[in-house]
Amino acid sequence: VQCGHVYGPADQDPKIYSFMRETPVTESHWINALSGSTEVCLREYFCPACGALFSVNVQRKGDPLLIDMRLA
């Protein structure tokens, strides 16, 4: 992120230290709205310092954080 915010240890996923917003996948695009799915959501991860969006995961509601990034 361009603001220089430090998310935590480089060997941990930065999403652990970010702000997360969860929205129904049906709100992301009209085609997804046609599915009517209530089980799938978008998890958007934002820098807590500047608000920049840096990651999005599509997951089932209630699933644990998907650890898929490392900074080092």
Side-chain angles (χ1 to χ4, degrees):
V1 177
Q2 292 186 16
C3 73
H5 176 73
V6 176
Y7 286 89
D11 63 342
Q12 293 185 4
D13 194 316
K15 292 181 291 186
I16 295 169
Y17 303 96
S18 68
F19 286 131
M20 188 266 291
R21 177 174 63 183
E22 186 174 284
T23 59
V25 73
T26 55
E27 293 182 15
S28 65
H29 192 275
W30 68 269
I31 288 194
N32 293 334
L34 296 176
S35 75
S37 174
T38 58
E39 296 179 23
V40 180
C41 66
L42 294 178
R43 290 187 181 159
E44 300 171 306
Y45 297 90
F46 299 88
C47 174
C50 70
L53 174 68
F54 70 88
S55 183
V56 177
N57 292 121
V58 178
Q59 294 184 251
R60 288 187 188 144
K61 286 184 180 180
D63 279 358
L65 173 70
L66 178 62
I67 302 295
D68 62 350
M69 301 175 121
R70 301 252 190 263
L71 298 177

